[in-house]
Amino acid sequence: MAFMKSAILVCVTAVLTVYLPQLWIKTRPIITSGTVEPGFEPVAKLFRKNFENGVEYPSGGSAFSVYYKGSKVVDIWGGYADSEAGRPWKEDTISTFFSTTKGMAALCIAILVDRGLLDYDKTVASYWPEFAQNGKEKVTLRMLVNHQAGLSYTSEKVTLELMEDQDALGELLARSPPAWEPGTAHGYHAITFGLYLSQVVRRADPKHRTLGQFFKQEIAEPFGIDFFIGLPLESFHRNARLMGNANSVLLSLLRGLSSPLNRQLMLAMATGKSDMSKILEVGWETVDGSVLMRPETLALEQPSAYGVGTARAIATVYGILANGGRTKEGKKLLSDNIIKKIISEAQIDGSIDRTLGLPTVNNLGFLIDEYEGSAQFGHPGSGGMQGRADPQKKIGLSYLSSYNSEFGFGDDPRFTSLQAATHKCIEELEAKRP
């Protein structure tokens, strides 16, 4: 009897410990804030409604920002940066963008090409001689940024300790053989993309900076972009606590079976038509959600996944790119000629990505997509993160959340609902103009 009482007490205590905090989180007041320009009020209303009707998760916080024709028109945030501590999401709250970081890595390469320091059609080995090992002699920079180099995973494990030593990391990447003949197929370089690009930047940049340092000094500081590839320890206090599925890629996919894209990836993995399991096997230590709340981890440069910043920052960058590569005041970030090539030179042939098991279109490091007949480029991130540019309509937007949902292909309803509302507002504004 005494044992039964003890067992019941333990069970009750466990239930109360697990579920009472969640109940408190769900009953906390809904907090949203920010600004919108006249005509975009429906976006802010929908953002709050998403928190009220469960589209947004009560245990997380989010932010959404839009630039239109060079001007900021939406800058809103809500929820909690740390729901357990009751810390609200604020204007300067930052969080991990995961693979949306790849778009910023691709931008660094594009800027170096713009300056004549890199050429997409030259071999990687022409800048990095040690790279020409084990069948990689003819790999061009274009193949690398377009996920066609066959380097979606390495022959040896990539660890956090290794990422602290750029020279040792470079040696591992240089000797790793391709998984398929470069240029014959494409497969998402989920973990290795930014690591390889940073090694290229170190050699092409006259100052021999890493990609994170280049981004900071050539993009973030000159253009006021609150985004880091290698988060300074003194900025970690602004970082949101990750919630949701950040700790399990498999759990995220299983919970996201309502997404046709997730179902396709799961099928590809189950039938051996996806390299995702191999990618995770050699690099899991570096993307395990449990390590991404450590300041020392985010301080490392992983330009594939460790980018940390605000939605406003990513929207600002894509807003500039959508505006011909210049700010509203005329300050140049990237030549319009290269921006046009991102979309115009993309090969839309329906070919299947070897990693994802899905037909994807990549060009110059950006994912190419379309919305209501208008071509866009940018990059989604695991858990629903998003950043994209629409040069035709001159829109740059970004979505960020501390709650990692099961939607990682740009089909997260939190983002898609806000995107639709934004486009509707712009259509109505344009219709009113003479």
Side-chain angles (χ1 to χ4, degrees), residues 151-406:
L151 301 171
S152 56
Y153 57 91
T154 52
S155 55
E156 304 165 55
K157 286 190 176 183
V158 176
T159 64
L160 293 172
E161 182 180 3
L162 183 63
M163 282 172 41
E164 295 178 6
D165 187 336
Q166 287 290 325
D167 291 332
L169 176 61
E171 291 173 6
L172 182 154
L173 295 172
R175 64 176 176 263
S176 192
W180 66 84
E181 183 181 347
T184 62
H186 67 100
Y188 186 48
H189 291 31
I191 294 175
T192 57
F193 179 85
L195 299 180
Y196 273 105
L197 293 192
S198 189
Q199 295 294 327
V200 173
V201 170
R202 289 179 68 201
R203 290 155 176 83
D205 174 36
K207 297 181 181 180
H208 304 293
R209 291 167 289 187
T210 62
L211 193 148
Q213 293 167 342
F214 184 90
F215 182 90
K216 175 184 177 182
Q217 296 173 9
E218 301 294 335
I219 302 173
E221 292 178 346
F223 292 89
I225 308 301
D226 192 10
F227 184 86
F228 308 89
I229 302 175
L231 180 67
L233 296 178
E234 61 269 22
S235 295
F236 186 77
H237 71 281
R238 297 195 284 135
N239 194 41
R241 179 175 182 173
L242 293 178
M243 305 290 290
N245 301 314
N247 291 329
S248 174
V249 173
L250 182 59
L251 179 60
S252 175
L253 293 171
L254 288 173
R255 288 181 175 175
L257 288 177
S258 59
S259 164
L261 298 178
N262 273 340
R263 291 200 297 271
Q264 283 182 258
L265 175 55
M266 289 291 289
L267 179 61
M269 292 177 68
T271 56
K273 296 180 180 179
S274 166
D275 293 334
M276 183 63 79
S277 59
K278 295 178 182 177
I279 291 172
L280 294 177
E281 180 183 348
V282 298
W284 176 246
E285 177 184 321
T286 67
V287 294
D288 180 358
S290 64
V291 306
L292 292 178
M293 279 309 298
R294 301 174 188 170
E296 62 270 23
T297 300
L298 294 181
L300 297 173
E301 288 192 24
Q302 191 359 334
S304 294
Y306 286 9
V308 180
T310 64
R312 183 185 315 108
I314 297 299
T316 301
V317 171
Y318 281 117
I320 295 171
L321 297 179
N323 197 48
R326 295 180 180 273
T327 65
K328 192 175 182 180
E329 295 73 30
K331 188 175 181 179
K332 177 188 169 184
L333 174 62
L334 187 66
S335 293
D336 187 44
N337 180 49
I338 291 183
I339 296 171
K340 289 178 179 177
K341 288 182 178 180
I342 294 172
I343 292 176
S344 66
E345 295 183 354
Q347 297 182 0
I348 306 174
D349 56 11
S351 57
I352 302 299
D353 186 293
R354 286 178 53 116
T355 299
L356 304 176
L358 306 167
T360 60
V361 181
N362 298 283
N363 193 41
L364 305 188
F366 298 95
L367 186 71
I368 312 303
D369 204 350
E370 183 180 283
Y371 187 79
E372 294 185 347
S374 184
Q376 301 182 338
F377 68 89
H379 215 291
S382 177
M385 314 312 151
Q386 188 62 254
R388 60 175 63 184
D390 184 332
Q392 181 178 328
K393 296 182 178 179
K394 295 191 174 183
I395 302 170
L397 48 74
S398 176
Y399 176 83
L400 174 67
S401 180
S402 61
Y403 189 98
N404 285 257
S405 78
E406 50 271 25

Side-chain angles (χ1 to χ4, degrees), residues 82-116:
D82 188 334
S83 55
E84 292 187 14
R87 176 164 60 98
W89 192 289
K90 298 180 180 179
E91 183 176 7
D92 67 343
T93 295
I94 55 179
S95 192
T96 307
F97 266 100
F98 298 100
S99 285
T100 302
T101 310
K102 290 182 175 71
M104 299 301 100
L107 175 59
C108 291
I109 295 295
I111 289 174
L112 287 167
V113 171
D114 203 11
R115 295 177 182 177

